[in-house]
Amino acid sequence: MALPVRSVISGSIFLGDCCHARLYSFAAPSVLYRRTQYKASTTKMASANAQGRPKTIDSHLHIWASPQDVKSSLPCTTVSLQNQAADKYPYFPGQEPTLPGHLDFLLQCMEEASVEGALIVQPINHKFDHSLVTSVLKKHPTKFVGCCLANPAENGTGVKQLEDLILKDGYRAVRFNPYLWPSGQQMTNEVGKAMFSRAGELGVPVGFMCMKGLNLHISEITELCTEFPSTAVLLDHLAFCKPPLNDEEKLAFSELLKLSRFPQVYVKFSALFRVSRMSSPYLDLVPLLAEVVSNFGANRVMWGSDFPYVVPESGYKGAKEAACLIASQASLSSSEVEWIMGKTVMQLFQGQWLP
C-alpha cells in the first residue's frame, strides 16, 4: 500500500537548514506512520558527525577531463589545453563531453552546497580508461570513493580488470551498464555472472544503469540477486522509474518496489531531473520517494546529484535542496532524511568519510 503523502500546503513552516528541515503542518494520523525496519541500524550506527550537523554525501556523480586537469607553465589557448587534457585522459570516440566536469568545479560546487564527500562513478566519456578518476581518488582519498565501469568483453578480461581496479587502485563499487554487453547478450551471461559474483566476494556493490527502462532488465537483476545474495546492488536514479502515467510505467515502479525483498538492494534517489516530469524542485517525486522508503527503509535509500549533468538543470546546490524538500513533503522524519542524505552511503562504504 502506498504511504499517504502530505501535499504541498501554503503557509507550511520549515525549521532548520535545508537537509534537516521539517515541515510542520496538519496531517492525517496515517501520515505519522513510520517505517521501523531500519531502527536496528540506527541504534548500531552513531551519527556521522556527533558533534555537529550530520554529513551529506553524494552517492552519484561524474568527473571528466577538462583543460583544468592539465598543468602547464607555458601560455596556452583554451583549445590547446583541451587537446592536452584529451591526450592525457583520452575520451572514448563519440563521447566527448559538452559540459564542464573537472575536479575544481566539482569541489567548488560541493563546498557551496555543504556536501562533504561523494561516490565518483566512472563516466562513459572515458569508458574503460579509469586514469582520471584514479588520480582523483589518490589525491582525495578521504573525500571520494570510486565506482569503476565493468567491461563485459566476451573474452572475460573484464574480471581481471575489475579485480585490479578494486585491489590495486582502491575502487569500492562497480557499475553494470547493460548497453555495453555484446549484442544479443545479457548481464546474466557467463562473464556478467563472473563479475557480479567476484564483486560480492570482494565486498563491492554493483550499480545498475537501466536507462532504457527497468522492465527491460528486471529479470536479469532478479536472477543475479537470487543467485548471488552476498553481492550488494545499487539501482541508479530510481531505476529510471518516472511517476507512472500508464500500465507499463506502473508495472516498472511495482517491480522496483518488489526488489525490496532482496536485502542487498539499495535505491539511489539520484538524478531527479531525469526521472521527474516537472522542473526543480521535482515535487511529482514526493509519492515515489514515500513508497520507496516505505518498502526499502530509509537506510537503503541514498541521494545523488548526477553532477555535472545536474548543473544546467537545477544547479548542484539546488539538487540537494530539492531532495530535502521532497523528503519533507513526503513526511519523512529527520532521522530518515539523515539516512538518505548521507548515512546510508556511509554505512555501505564503512571506514570512509569518518568524522
Side-chain angles (χ1 to χ4, degrees), residues 180-305:
L180 295 179
W181 257 251
S183 179
Q185 298 196 35
Q186 296 187 324
M187 295 182 289
T188 49
N189 67 359
E190 183 178 354
V191 171
K193 287 189 174 182
M195 291 192 293
F196 192 85
S197 174
R198 188 65 177 130
E201 293 170 357
L202 294 172
V204 169
V206 174
F208 288 106
M209 185 186 72
C210 305
M211 182 172 284
K212 296 182 181 180
L214 179 60
N215 286 339
L216 294 177
H217 309 292
I218 186 63
S219 63
E220 300 164 75
I221 296 173
T222 299
E223 182 176 341
L224 291 169
C225 288
T226 301
E227 190 168 340
F228 305 101
S230 64
T231 303
V233 166
L234 308 174
L235 299 174
D236 295 345
H237 314 333
L238 279 176
F240 286 86
C241 290
K242 294 192 173 190
L245 297 179
N246 54 48
D247 290 342
E248 182 179 358
E249 292 174 346
K250 290 178 182 177
L251 175 62
F253 188 60
S254 174
E255 292 294 347
L256 167 61
L257 298 181
K258 288 179 183 177
L259 287 173
S260 64
R261 70 186 186 275
F262 296 107
Q264 79 261 41
V265 176
Y266 295 75
V267 178
K268 286 187 181 181
F269 188 58
S270 54
L272 306 186
F273 64 94
R274 295 189 186 276
V275 293
S276 173
R277 301 183 190 278
M278 301 173 65
S279 59
S280 182
Y282 317 117
L283 293 181
D284 59 338
L285 299 181
V286 170
L288 273 68
L289 178 61
E291 291 202 56
V292 166
V293 171
S294 181
N295 282 267
F296 285 86
N299 67 322
R300 290 164 63 192
V301 181
M302 59 189 79
W303 168 73
S305 69

Side-chain angles (χ1 to χ4, degrees), residues 13-44:
I13 300 174
F14 289 84
L15 299 178
D17 65 21
C18 161
C19 280
H20 307 97
R22 297 302 313 281
L23 175 66
Y24 290 87
S25 59
F26 293 105
S30 58
V31 171
L32 303 178
Y33 174 75
R34 282 288 157 266
R35 276 69 57 194
T36 59
Q37 64 188 94
Y38 69 96
K39 284 187 176 178
S41 297
T42 306
T43 302
K44 182 178 179 182

